[in-house]
Amino acid sequence: MTSTTLVTGARGKVGQAVIARLHAAGRTVRAASAHPAELTVPDGVETTELALDRPETFEAALRGVGQVFLYPQPAGIHEFTRAAEAAGVEHVVLLSSSSVLGPNAENDPLAGHSLHVERALAASGLTCTFLRPDAFASNSLAWAYPIGRNLPVQLAYPDAHIAPIHPEDIADIAAEALTATSLTGTAPTLTGPESLTFREQLAIVADALGREIPVEQITRAEAEQQMGRHMPAPMVTSLLDLWEAADHGPAAVHDTTQTLLGRPARTYRQWAGENTAAFTHH
C-alpha cells in the first residue's frame, strides 16, 4: 500500500504523535496545517497547507491520499467529504469525542462540533472510523497556573469522577486504525484504565511533585466566573453540568489500549510523572 496518509491537526499533541508512529512504521505521511511553515515533522514527512474552513486548500492537500486522520472542524466538512471522495480517499479516522453520546449532544457546544462532523462523514460514501476519547489526562494542565504558584486549586466539583486517557494511548489507537483493519468502521469510546476524581488526580500530581496541593471547593457561581474569563459561557455551563453529573460515582471505563490493542493502558500516574515540569513555575 503506497498511498499517502494525510494527518490534519498536525500541530496538536495527538496529531504529532500519530505522524511519528506512521513515519516510524514506514508509511508515507503528509502533515497538514493552516500554517505549514510552523510545523515540526520528522525528516521525510511532507507538509501541506490545509485549512478545514477553506475548501480551496483541499484539492492539493488530498492529492494521492488514501486515508485521512481528521480533526473535527465543522466549517467546510461537507466540502471536505466531497473533495475526499473525488480524490479517492478510502478511509477517514476522525478524532471525535465521547461527548457526542450525551443526551443533548446536538445543542451542546462541546459535543456539537464533533457530532456535526460525524454526521457529515456518515452521510458520505467514505469508510469512517470514529475515535471518541473521553477526558484527556492533559486537561489537568489547566491547573498548572495555581499549582506552579503554590496556590490552592479551586474546583466546584472536586469529587467529580472521570477516567482520563493518556494522549499517547489515543495516538496508539489512531495509528492502529490507520495501519490495520481491526478498527475500521467502528466507533469506540476511549478512556484511561481507571476512574479518578479531580481530588484523586491532584493527589497523584502532588505525589509526582513531592509536595502538597491544597484543594478548595468553590461554588458553581464562582467557578462560572473564573472559567468565563477563558471560555464562552455556553462552554462553561456545559463543562460544569458534565462535572456535576459526574459527582455521583465512578466513571465508566470503556475501551483502552488494553481492550483494543492488547497493551496495558498508560495510567494517569504515568502522565503526571512525565509532566511535572508543566506544574513548576518558571
Side-chain angles (χ1 to χ4, degrees), residues 34-261:
H35 308 285
E38 295 169 21
L39 288 175
T40 308
V41 294
D43 284 346
V45 171
E46 60 172 309
T47 59
T48 187
E49 183 186 8
L50 172 69
L52 291 166
D53 55 356
R54 288 197 315 196
E56 65 275 14
T57 63
F58 296 169
E59 193 188 337
L62 285 163
R63 200 167 290 134
V65 167
Q67 49 181 2
V68 179
F69 180 67
L70 187 63
Y71 196 79
Q73 163 61 269
I77 186 59
H78 293 286
E79 293 84 348
F80 185 83
T81 59
R82 283 197 290 277
E85 286 179 351
V89 169
E90 285 158 21
H91 184 205
V92 175
V93 175
L94 175 70
L95 182 63
S96 185
S97 159
S98 66
S99 61
V100 300
L101 303 167
N104 191 28
E106 199 133 340
N107 306 312
D108 183 290
L110 286 175
H113 232 67
S114 297
L115 188 63
H116 184 77
V117 174
E118 278 197 14
R119 286 184 174 162
L121 286 168
S124 76
L126 299 160
T127 299
C128 301
T129 302
F130 298 151
L131 303 181
R132 294 171 173 162
D134 211 50
F136 285 37
S138 47
N139 292 358
S140 304
L141 295 171
W143 301 326
Y145 185 89
I147 292 173
R149 287 159 183 76
N150 283 325
L151 298 168
V153 173
Q154 298 182 315
L155 299 167
Y157 302 104
D159 299 302
H161 296 257
I162 58 174
I165 183 168
H166 195 304
E168 294 285 336
D169 277 3
I170 300 173
D172 278 346
I173 292 164
E176 178 77 9
L178 290 161
T179 55
T181 54
S182 61
L183 297 173
T184 305
T186 65
T189 298
L190 310 176
T191 64
E194 59 192 332
S195 173
L196 296 165
T197 63
F198 288 136
R199 204 186 288 278
E200 288 167 338
Q201 289 172 52
L202 283 159
I204 290 170
V205 174
D207 219 22
L209 292 172
R211 62 181 172 80
E212 291 293 304
I213 297 173
V215 179
E216 206 173 280
Q217 185 156 11
I218 56 174
T219 65
R220 181 173 173 131
E222 287 170 318
E224 274 168 5
Q225 197 186 348
Q226 282 186 12
M227 292 163 71
R229 291 180 206 139
H230 312 289
M231 55 178 91
M235 194 78 96
V236 171
T237 302
S238 171
L239 273 172
L240 288 168
D241 286 351
L242 191 73
W243 296 336
E244 184 179 20
D247 218 17
H248 309 300
V253 170
H254 292 280
D255 274 309
T256 63
T257 52
Q258 183 67 61
T259 59
L260 295 176
L261 310 178

Side-chain angles (χ1 to χ4, degrees), residues 6-19 30-34 39 48 50-52 68-73 95:
L6 179 73
V7 177
T8 72
R11 287 169 72 189
K13 276 271 193 293
V14 174
Q16 288 182 341
V18 169
I19 290 165
R30 185 178 298 160
S33 168
L39 288 175
T48 187
L50 172 69
L52 291 166
V68 179
F69 180 67
L70 187 63
Y71 196 79
Q73 163 61 269
L95 182 63

